[in-house]
Amino acid sequence: MFGTGARLFHWSIALLVAVQIPAGIAMTSEPLAAWADPLFVLHKGLGAVLLVMVLCRIAWRLTHPPPPFPDYMSPAEQRVAHATHVALYGLLLVMAVSGYVRTVGDGYPIELLDAIGIPPLVRSMPEVAAVMLVVHRFTVFALVMLAAAHVAAVIQRGWIDGHPVMNRMWPPFRPKEDDAK
Ligand code: HEM
């Protein structure tokens, strides 16, 4: 069973990404142009929070080894699950860093960071920002596909095969009765 720290990181980042993706699509859609400004402010602000959270989560994961995979997963399934989890961390990091560099490197503000007095952490670099825009737009496809595969695996093991997989990560606070496990 995962501890409370890993659970809180997992569900808060999942929630923020679930807001971030539709906000990103909506703010760049022509029919929703009237909403673009507030959606950009929201997306850049949440994105900056996500960047910090993803870095903290990776640090947490490196210093807090996860529980072993359950016995009902074959060695091959365990390898695929591990690779999926590593790739999800990598894609989240690429999304957050590319979004930040695309914005700040092109001279745009991040209103939330300006409001709390955090200066731009990268200098103006429009050529790199242009590459980061492409990276940001393409990486989201990989992230959505992998997240869908991750959810599908949980549904298959939990609901179809009947294994208690969900209680490894849910609820967000580790229940007291799990402390012995
Ligand atoms: C995990 C974190 C993030 C996710 C899932 C995400 C998702 C998205 C999505 C789906 C889009 C629309 C792409 C398209 O037009 O096809 C987008 C665009 C954008 N994102 Fe993010 N984003 C993240 C982090 C960030 C961060 C940290 C920033 C900046 C602080 C940021 C700034 C932007 C900007 C400026 C655009 C518009 C790009 C353009 O068309 O010029 N994003 N994002």
Side-chain angles (χ1 to χ4, degrees):
M1 305 295 161
F2 284 92
T4 294
R7 290 171 188 235
L8 286 176
F9 273 125
H10 179 277
W11 293 110
S12 52
I13 289 178
L15 183 68
L16 286 180
V17 170
V19 174
Q20 193 71 340
I21 292 178
I25 294 170
M27 75 195 190
T28 50
S29 305
E30 199 58 42
L32 295 173
W35 294 84
D37 284 352
L39 285 172
F40 261 98
V41 172
L42 173 77
H43 185 88
K44 290 184 292 177
L46 281 188
V49 172
L50 261 169
L51 176 55
V52 174
M53 288 179 64
V54 168
L55 289 173
C56 291
R57 185 175 182 189
I58 291 172
W60 184 271
R61 174 67 173 69
L62 293 174
T63 51
H64 296 75
F69 284 113
D71 294 341
Y72 53 76
M73 288 174 71
S74 70
E77 281 178 323
Q78 295 186 15
R79 278 196 296 277
V80 172
H82 178 70
T84 305
H85 300 163
V86 171
L88 280 169
Y89 282 109
L91 291 172
L92 281 172
L93 188 61
V94 171
M95 278 312 290
V97 170
S98 62
Y100 182 85
V101 176
R102 182 267 174 276
T103 305
V104 176
D106 219 4
Y108 289 103
I110 298 180
E111 292 76 2
L112 175 70
L113 298 186
D114 292 345
I116 56 176
I118 297 182
L121 301 178
V122 297
R123 60 181 172 78
S124 170
M125 39 178 162
E127 296 84 6
V128 178
V131 174
M132 287 299 130
L133 170 59
V134 179
V135 170
H136 200 67
R137 287 184 159 178
F138 278 95
T139 305
V140 75
F141 289 107
L143 180 64
V144 168
M145 280 191 300
L146 223 56
H150 173 72
V151 173
V154 171
I155 291 174
Q156 193 230 320
R157 283 194 202 106
W159 291 351
I160 300 176
D161 298 345
H163 295 302
V165 66
M166 203 49 194
N167 64 9
R168 282 168 61 79
M169 196 52 107
W170 185 264
F173 291 90
R174 181 183 162 114
K176 277 217 160 22
E177 60 270 22
D178 284 354
D179 284 351
K181 294 177 197 166

